[in-house]
């Protein structure tokens, strides 16, 4: 059996890591052959890994989205390269992850897949495929009835002028509602419930929790080593990790800054990892660090902290919480989206925006002792891979019958 994985990234970002883990696992642990097609990021020269996205076209796509209000409607040449690869590789199953981020023409790709009738597994890591444009719908429920008059045009994928969210919602509904050769996977029950409210409610929807490489993410460093490396004098260390953590308002950096002020001169230091800046920035009891691609280095930072803090407005099944717990950190943050499902034990969650309760919880969390043994088992990459392997075998048979 040949399995093609499609995503925005490969190796990088939470979904890119999952895709690469699946690629390695399929090729090493099964009799199947895996390939990856990805749209953005560094060029990776490994067997059956193909970057089809053209960087210049991706930039043009992003610009046209901002100007026109249309999402996923451009990247003609990149999409043609992807379709050419699919025809050459001849996969038995295609496993799609994310199609947002300006690198593919969604309509062209899905119409091609429907024509070929290849069985599709589609892992939803966000809400993009059933909304008019949003990866996160926040409090808005217009995706249930049809989108339009979007309250979040300024959010990613950003639109400057025209609201085509109803048109885009309708196009996705037309493409997917009666496409029966698809099974949808979500990492959380929270997202599964959201999908069941959308025009995809009749689809086969299953839950597979994300897993990580626990041989890397475990307690592998001490606090003293981290303090020495980053020249931190405070005794307690609070860690937050997220892509674009200081520029994406959804990640709640302003809450972290507010909390940091509350703990000035109290021996507590805050580390934010994932900033867009290229160098380390220090502000009183805050250290801001750019994105860390070296997973072993990132694991050492997790291991040296006392607690993990997440202040996002919405999350699905954040990989950072999995990584933190496997490295022995209790989690403190807001109870939104699928965050509660991500936490095994020793969680300190409160209502979104309640900064005083968050402060109280953080004090408890940073003084807690966390046993990572169950997290290391539950969130292991091998557990996730086993569930996907079973699904591949099942959907190879069922999907082919659907295509007859």
């Amino acid at each position: 059996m040949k399995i093609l994985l499609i995503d925005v990234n490969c190796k990088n970002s939470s979904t890119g890591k999952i895709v690469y883990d699946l690629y390695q696992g399929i090729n090493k642990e099964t009799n199947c052959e895996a390939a990856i097609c990805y749209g953005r990021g560094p060029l990776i020269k490994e067997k059956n890994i193909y970057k089809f996205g053209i960087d210049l076209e991706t930039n043009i796509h992003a610009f046209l989205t901002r100007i026109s209000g249309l999402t996923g409607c451009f990247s003609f040449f990149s999409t043609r390269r992807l379709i050419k690869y699919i025809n050459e590789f001849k996969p038995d199953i295609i496993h799609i992850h994310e199609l947002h981020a300006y690198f593919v023409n969604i309509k062209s790709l899905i119409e091609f897949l429907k024509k070929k009738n290849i069985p599709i597994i589609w892992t939803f890591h966000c809400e993009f495929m059933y909304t008019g444009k949003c990866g996160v719908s926040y409090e808005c429920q217009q995706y249930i009835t049809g989108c339009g008059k979007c309250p979040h045009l300024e959010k990613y994928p950003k639109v400057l002028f025209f609201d085509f969210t109803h048109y885009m919602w309708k196009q996705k509904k037309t493409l997917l509602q009666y496409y029966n050769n698809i099974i949808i996977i979500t990492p959380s029950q929270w997202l599964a419930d959201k999908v069941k409210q959308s025009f995809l409610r009749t689809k086969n929807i299953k839950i597979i929790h994300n897993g990580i490489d626990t041989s890397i993410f475990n307690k592998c460093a001490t606090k003293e080593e981290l303090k020495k490396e980053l020249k931190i004098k405070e005794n307690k260390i609070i860690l937050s990790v997220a892509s674009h953590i200081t520029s994406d308002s959804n990640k709640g950096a302003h809450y972290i800054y507010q909390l940091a002020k509350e703990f000035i001169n109290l021996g507590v230091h805050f580390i934010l990892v994932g900033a867009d800046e290229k160098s380390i920035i220090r502000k009183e009891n805050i250290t801001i660090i750019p994105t860390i691609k070296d997973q072993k280095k990132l694991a050492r930072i997790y291991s040296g902290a006392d607690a993990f803090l997440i202040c996002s407005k919405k999350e699905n099944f954040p990989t950072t919480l999995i990584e933190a717990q496997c490295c022995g950190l209790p989690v403190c943050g807001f109870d939104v989206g699928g965050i509660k499902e991500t936490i095994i034990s020793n969680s300190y969650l409160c209502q979104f925006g309640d900064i005083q309760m968050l402060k109280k919880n953080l004090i408890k969390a940073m003084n807690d002792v966390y046993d990572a043994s169950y997290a290391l088992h539950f969130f292991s990459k091998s557990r996730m891979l086993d569930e996907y392997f079973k699904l591949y075998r099942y959907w190879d048979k069922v999907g082919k019958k659907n295509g007859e």
Side-chain angles (χ1 to χ4, degrees), residues 95-331:
H95 185 174
I96 301 173
H97 288 261
E98 297 285 18
L99 293 186
H100 60 76
Y102 318 116
F103 68 98
V104 69
N105 186 301
I106 294 172
K107 182 180 178 182
S108 296
L109 176 61
I110 294 177
E111 286 181 340
F112 164 77
L113 295 178
K114 289 172 78 170
K115 184 178 179 180
K116 299 290 286 188
N117 214 359
I118 302 169
I120 303 297
I121 295 171
W122 201 322
T123 298
F124 283 13
H125 298 279
C126 70
E127 301 185 70
F128 178 74
M129 284 312 299
Y130 57 78
T131 68
K133 79 165 194 72
C134 297
V136 181
S137 63
Y138 300 102
E139 72 289 342
C140 179
Q141 293 188 315
Q142 291 190 93
Y143 67 89
I144 298 173
T145 55
C147 287
K149 297 182 179 178
C150 179
H152 300 301
L153 287 179
E154 79 288 355
K155 302 289 186 183
Y156 169 84
K158 188 175 182 178
V159 172
L160 296 176
F161 305 112
F162 305 107
D163 186 344
F164 276 101
T165 53
H166 178 70
Y167 171 81
M168 297 307 306
W169 178 90
K170 193 173 181 180
Q171 182 184 87
K172 291 174 183 177
K173 181 179 179 181
T174 301
L175 288 169
L176 295 176
Q177 187 176 26
Y178 300 109
Y179 187 5
N180 295 321
N181 219 5
I182 293 178
I183 185 169
I184 295 174
I185 308 300
T186 66
S188 67
Q189 184 64 56
W190 170 80
L191 186 55
D193 291 340
K194 299 274 280 187
V195 176
K196 290 173 184 176
Q197 291 179 317
S198 74
F199 56 76
L200 297 170
R201 63 179 64 91
T202 60
K203 294 285 179 283
N204 190 348
I205 302 167
K206 295 183 180 296
I207 299 169
I208 296 180
H209 296 307
N210 294 338
I212 61 171
D213 188 344
T214 53
S215 69
I216 295 176
F217 289 97
N218 54 62
K219 191 74 173 179
C220 56
T222 67
K223 185 196 301 185
E224 293 308 313
E225 289 172 331
L226 181 60
K227 288 173 65 177
K228 182 178 180 180
E229 181 181 340
L230 295 180
K231 299 178 181 178
I232 294 172
K233 64 180 185 298
E234 291 89 352
N235 186 48
K236 295 291 185 179
I237 297 175
I238 309 302
L239 176 65
S240 295
V241 181
S243 297
H244 311 293
I245 190 167
T246 55
S247 58
D248 184 349
S249 60
N250 176 54
K251 301 303 179 183
H254 56 290
Y255 290 113
I256 302 173
Y257 297 149
Q258 188 175 341
L259 275 175
K261 288 182 180 179
E262 299 270 346
F263 286 98
I264 287 179
N265 301 322
L266 295 178
V268 181
H269 196 90
F270 290 74
I271 299 175
L272 284 70
V273 177
D276 295 329
E277 293 83 2
K278 295 183 179 180
S279 59
I280 294 176
I281 298 173
R282 300 183 188 279
K283 301 178 180 180
E284 295 179 313
N285 63 333
I286 302 173
T287 297
I288 301 173
I289 300 176
T291 298
I292 296 175
K293 294 183 179 180
D294 185 333
Q295 299 301 285
K296 291 182 179 179
K297 182 178 179 180
L298 182 58
R300 288 176 61 81
I301 292 178
Y302 277 115
S303 299
D306 292 285
F308 189 86
L309 176 64
I310 183 166
C311 294
S312 300
K313 187 175 181 180
K314 274 288 184 295
E315 291 284 355
N316 175 20
F317 199 82
T319 303
T320 55
L321 295 194
I322 300 174
E323 295 169 344
Q325 290 172 91
C326 288
C327 291
L329 297 186
V331 173

Side-chain angles (χ1 to χ4, degrees), residues 4-9 19 35-38 52 82 86 94-99 103 109 113:
L4 177 63
L5 304 151
I6 301 175
D7 191 37
V8 183
N9 301 296
V19 164
I36 297 175
C37 284
Y38 70 105
F52 65 87
L82 172 58
I86 294 171
I94 292 180
H95 185 174
I96 301 173
H97 288 261
E98 297 285 18
L99 293 186
F103 68 98
L109 176 61
L113 295 178

Side-chain angles (χ1 to χ4, degrees), residues 341-360:
E341 295 178 59
T342 320
I343 299 171
I344 298 297
S345 62
N346 299 59
S347 67
Y348 298 92
L349 302 181
C350 64
Q351 184 177 354
F352 179 77
D354 190 343
I355 196 72
Q356 290 307 311
M357 182 56 71
L358 188 63
K359 179 183 176 182
K360 292 177 182 178

